[in-house]
Amino acid sequence: MDRRHFLKFSAAGGALLTGCAPFQVKDTKAHVVVIGGGFGGATAAKTLRLLDANLKITLIEPKTQYVTCPGSNWLFAGITNLTQLSVDYRTLQVQYDIDLVTQSVATIERNIRQIRLTNGDSIGYDRLILSPGITFKWDAIAGYSAEIAAIFPHAWQAGLQTRILAQQLQAMPQGGVVLIVAPPDPYRCPPGPYERASMMACWIKQHNPRAKILILDSKRSFSKQRLFEAGWRANYGYGTANSLIEWHSLADNSINELHKASKTVISEFGDRFTGDVLNIIPAQMAANLAMHAGLTNPHGWCDINPLTSQSVEDDCIHVIGDAAQFTPMPKSAFAANSQAKACAMAVFNLIHQQPMSEPHWINTCYSLIAPEQGISVVGVYRLDDEKRRIIAVEGAGGVSHAFEEQISRSEAGYARSVYQNLIKNSFG
Amino acid sequence: MRWLLMWLLMTAQPVHAEFNPQSVVMNCLICHDSEKNSSSGEVPDLAGLTSAELHQALLDFKYDRRFATLMPRIAKGYSDAEIQAVADWLSQ
């Protein structure tokens, strides 16, 4: 770009940037605070450091270890464990000079650009990157709650609940029934419930072959459905009387009640389903912190300007990951990593008053049908011509060519390999 | 009201954003290691590849001249000029 163009872009950029003038005088370090140490937050902090050696970067995350949701379904087939799924923040601290604050956030005081921690401390910011993840709409299913989830785990934030659910599956009586209540759109990891059913079926096929997994779905269709169903037919007798997996679409008749004593879930029209193991995955929204800070829309998600990932409510706050609406991108760890990078570039350009570069995003989600059989979905995303909306690039993306032996074996290998690199790329 | 204001603001000022290959390349590195990677051995690392090699591979994926489970679906998302710029950046 020549200087004339550079100045033109700078001037245009400058006009858009005025809402969030830096507190610091020139030549002192700008301070970027990142809230949330999942894939979005970790990647944002790391990428910012790679772009700018001088910024002060703080990452606030209450946990010292993070159990990744990607890969956590593999635990049900007995091919991973929580230790293998755990990451920490040491590399980000030591190699990338990120200040780690192991505390919970109480409030975001937007008017004075300050974060109040639950221990009473406060941290000021020039720009805040919020990657807080999700919470659950507990009131969507009467009788279900955060406390009851310790008994009937959602296991949709990986960790102890994932292990409890796996133990329940393994302890299930012969010929028992697992109920997976799948959530309405939009939610974290669209293929997740179906990969989970696959991994559970893989386990019961070996250890409890008369058992059955019922997916009770509030949707009419689901991610990679054709591939999942082909894989289930090939492995688990799907479509026959002895199928290990049954998928029931309860569109317009969603599960809205749990009767815990009888381990029964009940739909709007009164259909009852009783199981031995109940995996209830409720409807979701952005984490409470985002709502309390006034950054959510009536559906509970954070609207953003996709060029910069700035909240439409606050120019100084960028929101990424599952909490943010990057429609049509799905909510996934891969997508959060991709969003974090585009966000970090925007934050860098805003702080240095440089012209914006066009953001580019990719999402890839692998799912395992069986330990050696994988399928994938890909999306390539960019801004539309007006630079206001995210579009999936036409002709690109899509699902695996077919559920075919050689391809699915390759994709199972890639699933594991991509998982490892995604961790390395996000956390150091 | 807020949306109306945003709309007015955004339609009043054209939004400029230049293509920057770095913003694509950062996504390549989610799956592909940029360093020599002898351990995992599934997804190829991108270390040591020349711009010409990368350019050819990406075009072959885009135009279905080379089979791969996933890359053809990604390469179709970019123009030939963007692919050239990405290959140049990756090989640096």
Side-chain angles (χ1 to χ4, degrees):
Chain A
M1 192 188 331
D2 62 35
R3 184 173 158 74
R4 192 170 58 84
H5 272 94
F6 180 86
L7 290 172
K8 187 178 118 189
F9 280 116
S10 296
L16 284 170
L17 318 180
T18 45
C20 190
F23 277 150
Q24 273 94 348
V25 288
K26 216 176 165 190
D27 299 330
T28 60
K29 287 182 186 179
H31 187 199
V32 178
V33 174
V34 181
I35 297 180
F39 285 87
T43 307
K46 179 180 164 179
T47 307
L48 261 180
R49 174 59 73 229
L50 291 171
L51 293 170
D52 192 328
N54 297 316
L55 275 179
K56 180 172 166 59
I57 305 169
T58 301
L59 175 63
I60 306 176
E61 163 59 48
K63 298 186 292 295
T64 54
Q65 283 213 318
Y66 177 74
V67 183
T68 69
C69 280
S72 67
N73 280 328
W74 305 348
L75 199 122
F76 300 108
I79 54 175
T80 191
N81 58 53
L82 288 185
T83 308
Q84 286 176 0
L85 294 169
S86 297
V87 293
D88 63 40
Y89 304 100
R90 274 194 292 261
T91 309
L92 288 179
Q93 271 183 289
V94 176
Q95 277 188 31
Y96 294 91
D97 192 23
I98 310 289
D99 295 336
L100 183 69
V101 175
T102 310
Q103 291 290 333
S104 295
V105 173
T107 54
I108 301 168
E109 296 165 340
R110 282 167 46 191
N111 53 338
I112 52 170
R113 279 193 233 165
Q114 181 174 284
I115 291 147
R116 173 93 43 200
L117 302 174
T118 47
N119 71 357
D121 289 353
S122 56
I123 299 173
Y125 60 85
D126 292 302
R127 289 198 170 272
L128 172 62
I129 299 176
L130 192 58
S131 188
I134 55 157
T135 190
F136 301 96
K137 295 182 176 174
W138 296 110
D139 55 357
I141 298 174
Y144 197 55
S145 65
E147 294 71 42
I148 301 291
I151 308 165
F152 304 115
H154 52 71
W156 219 242
Q157 290 158 321
L160 185 59
Q161 282 199 15
T162 318
R163 184 155 62 198
I164 293 172
L165 185 58
Q167 287 166 345
Q168 289 178 350
L169 177 75
Q170 290 160 14
M172 189 169 68
Q174 288 295 311
V177 172
V178 180
L179 301 180
I180 297 177
V181 178
D185 288 318
Y187 62 97
R188 163 178 285 181
C189 190
Y194 316 98
E195 186 193 51
R196 176 169 290 178
S198 308
M199 294 290 92
M200 287 180 160
C202 177
W203 196 89
I204 66 172
K205 187 179 178 179
Q206 286 180 294
H207 303 283
N208 192 350
R210 286 188 296 113
K212 207 180 254 305
I213 297 154
L214 261 56
I215 305 169
L216 306 174
D217 210 326
S218 53
K219 302 182 290 299
R220 285 190 170 80
S221 61
F222 59 87
S223 171
K224 295 184 263 190
Q225 182 164 359
R226 182 176 55 83
L227 294 166
F228 271 114
E229 290 183 329
W232 294 344
R233 267 192 291 278
N235 290 281
Y236 308 122
Y238 187 67
T240 70
N242 297 320
S243 179
L244 300 182
I245 298 174
E246 286 180 18
W247 177 66
H248 296 264
S249 173
L250 301 176
D252 305 321
N253 181 28
S254 299
I255 299 298
N256 67 355
E257 189 181 342
L258 163 70
H259 189 257
K260 65 174 182 172
S262 63
K263 293 188 176 180
T264 299
V265 291
I266 305 160
S267 74
E268 286 172 44
F269 298 154
D271 294 327
R272 303 169 76 89
F273 302 87
T274 301
D276 299 281
V277 173
L278 272 58
N279 174 211
I280 299 173
I281 309 164
Q284 295 155 32
M285 58 186 180
N288 291 329
L289 181 62
M291 188 183 66
H292 293 147
L295 301 172
T296 50
N297 65 23
H299 303 288
W301 305 102
C302 300
D303 287 322
I304 48 106
N305 170 2
L307 178 67
T308 58
S309 60
Q310 282 164 300
S311 166
V312 300
E313 305 290 346
D314 191 326
D315 279 354
C316 300
I317 300 180
H318 303 248
V319 193
I320 55 172
D322 293 345
Q325 278 293 59
F326 277 82
T327 317
M329 293 186 78
K331 298 182 183 302
S332 78
F334 199 110
N337 174 301
S338 189
Q339 290 158 9
K341 288 168 175 167
C343 173
M345 282 190 83
V347 167
F348 175 86
N349 288 331
L350 288 165
I351 285 173
H352 294 284
Q353 308 226 340
Q354 287 186 13
M356 279 293 142
S357 52
E358 187 188 356
H360 287 267
W361 304 275
I362 293 180
N363 179 62
T364 299
C365 286
Y366 283 99
S367 305
L368 293 184
I369 302 275
E372 299 305 328
Q373 296 173 38
I375 56 176
S376 64
V377 61
V378 175
V380 181
Y381 304 90
R382 63 203 308 166
L383 292 177
D384 67 352
D385 289 342
E386 275 78 46
K387 313 288 180 211
R388 283 173 208 135
R389 238 168 20 93
I390 301 173
I391 51 164
V393 178
E394 222 172 301
V399 298
S400 312
H401 182 59
F403 186 75
E404 188 264 309
E405 197 187 334
Q406 201 148 8
I407 292 174
S408 71
R409 193 179 311 123
S410 297
E411 293 215 287
Y414 291 143
R416 281 187 283 272
S417 169
V418 165
Y419 172 75
Q420 292 302 338
N421 207 66
L422 172 64
I423 299 294
K424 183 180 171 191
N425 189 251
S426 305
F427 294 92
Chain B
M1 188 62 193
R2 184 182 307 115
W3 280 107
L4 180 67
L5 283 172
M6 248 193 83
W7 183 79
L8 282 172
L9 182 76
M10 295 180 89
T11 47
Q13 293 177 330
V15 181
H16 294 284
E18 283 233 319
F19 179 75
N20 177 349
Q22 189 182 11
S23 55
V24 176
V25 166
M26 289 197 297
N27 290 314
C28 305
L29 301 179
I30 305 176
C31 299
H32 295 273
D33 208 328
S34 58
E35 299 158 11
K36 202 80 200 145
N37 184 354
S38 53
S39 56
S40 83
E42 294 281 355
V43 175
D45 67 66
L46 301 175
L49 293 172
T50 65
S51 173
E53 288 167 334
L54 289 158
H55 185 221
Q56 192 59 51
L58 288 168
L59 287 179
D60 286 349
F61 289 137
K62 177 176 172 178
Y63 293 108
D64 292 315
R65 297 189 295 248
R66 178 172 168 184
F67 176 80
T69 54
L70 194 127
M71 275 308 297
R73 289 180 262 164
I74 289 179
K76 288 180 179 64
Y78 304 94
S79 72
D80 291 4
E82 288 168 347
I83 282 176
Q84 177 72 68
V86 165
D88 288 346
W89 187 286
L90 264 173
S91 63
Q92 283 167 20

